Structures are given as C-alpha cells and as structure tokens.
C-alpha cells in the first residue's frame, strides 16, 4: 500500500457528487495494490498520524517536531489507484492495483480506522472510484511517499 502525503495549508476535493475540504493538515493519496492486507493499512495509518511534518511552536526548535495530530490538523484521504502504475513504453498499466471491488472495502476500512484513532471530525475522504478535482495549497512544499513494502523509504 502506498500513500503520497502532502503538507497543506488547505485542500479540497470535488467528485462523485460530493465536495470536501480541509484547512491546515495533510492530503494523503492512497494506492492499494494486489495482495495488500490490514497490516499494510495499519502501517500507513500509523505513519500518516505520527510522522513529524511541522516545527514545534517554540521558535528555537528544529523543524520536523510535530505530527498532524499534535498540531490539531485535518486530513484529507483520496483514493488513487494510479500509484501502482507500471509502464509499457509510454502507456501506463494498472494491473498491480487491487480490483475496485476489493480496494473499495479496504479504503473505507482505512478511513474508519484513521477516524477512530484520531478525531472523526478532522478526517475527510473522497468518494471512492469517482473522477475527482483536487485543489490544494502546498505548505513548504513537503511531500513524502510512504510504501508499506518499503518502510524505510528511498
């Protein structure tokens, strides 16, 4: 399972007949691969909620001291099957992405767990499988790629 996580000043997602928006926080594009399990989701949830994206409020403090939960930030989760693209020349193939039927359940379970471990009112999510328009204001910019099969990054 992969996530592209961006620190934002604000963000919104419109699609599937719904519109959601957040203020300061994180946008996490979530990709689910064939073979991903609950353990993969738990890895991403832990990282999204606990990675240090912000400086401390102490002006003398170094950067990377506070998580989204510590600053009381919001989270926008967006389903993104294209994160597992492989290429045949210039054409992407998405056969490594989990089927829509299976990934829909896993995506909704991930949303429920993030809400349960943080604050349901601070977590928003896109409509699964819908065409979306996402707008965001990057803060930094700070963008990290998380991969449950490559937990050290790189």
């Amino acid at each position: 399972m992969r996530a592209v996580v961006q620190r934002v000043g604000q963000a919104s997602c419109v699609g599937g007949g719904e519109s959601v928006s957040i203020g300061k926080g994180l946008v996490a594009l979530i990709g689910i691969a064939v073979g991903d399990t609950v353990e993969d989701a738990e890895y991403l949830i832990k990282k999204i909620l606990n990675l240090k994206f912000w400086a401390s409020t102490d002006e003398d403090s170094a950067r990377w001291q506070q998580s989204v939960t510590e600053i009381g930030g919001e989270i926008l989760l967006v389903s993104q099957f294209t994160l597992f693209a492989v290429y045949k020349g210039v054409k992407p193939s998405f056969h490594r992405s989990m089927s829509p039927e299976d990934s829909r359940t896993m995506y909704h379970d991930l949303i429920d767990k993030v809400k349960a471990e943080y604050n349901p009112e601070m977590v928003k999510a896109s409509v699964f499988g819908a065409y979306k328009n996402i707008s965001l204001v990057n803060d930094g910019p700070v963008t990290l790629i998380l991969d449950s099969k490559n937990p050290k990054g790189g």
Side-chain angles (χ1 to χ4, degrees), residues 11-137:
S12 64
C13 179
V14 178
E18 292 186 19
S19 177
V20 293
S21 62
I22 64 168
K24 182 178 182 177
L26 299 175
V27 171
L29 306 176
I30 307 294
I32 304 170
V34 171
D36 278 344
T37 66
V38 170
E39 289 78 19
D40 294 296
E42 288 172 355
Y43 166 83
L44 284 188
I45 292 165
K46 179 180 176 183
K47 290 296 187 184
I48 290 167
L49 293 176
N50 295 299
L51 271 174
K52 308 299 185 182
F53 279 86
W54 286 272
S56 171
T57 54
D58 177 2
E59 289 184 26
D60 296 328
S61 180
R63 294 181 184 197
W64 319 111
Q65 296 295 313
Q66 293 187 303
S67 69
V68 68
T69 60
E70 292 170 317
I71 66 150
E74 294 180 278
I75 300 169
L76 174 56
L77 301 168
V78 180
S79 62
Q80 185 72 46
F81 74 93
T82 61
L83 292 181
F84 283 99
V86 293
Y87 307 98
K88 297 177 180 180
V90 296
K91 183 178 177 187
S93 171
F94 305 108
H95 68 273
R96 289 181 29 200
S97 298
M98 186 178 281
S99 72
E101 299 78 25
D102 294 332
S103 59
R104 176 185 312 273
T105 300
M106 188 167 277
Y107 175 67
H108 286 287
D109 288 347
L110 183 139
I111 294 166
D112 292 343
K113 288 177 184 175
V114 172
K115 287 181 175 183
E117 291 187 30
Y118 183 32
N119 175 345
E121 294 179 14
M122 302 299 278
V123 180
K124 307 293 190 310
S126 71
V127 174
F128 180 87
Y131 182 86
K132 306 167 200 46
N133 287 301
I134 301 166
S135 300
L136 57 90
V137 176

Side-chain angles (χ1 to χ4, degrees), residues 139-152:
D139 178 18
V142 174
T143 302
L144 300 179
I145 299 170
L146 306 175
D147 190 329
S148 62
K149 305 297 191 219
N150 187 15
K152 296 287 185 188

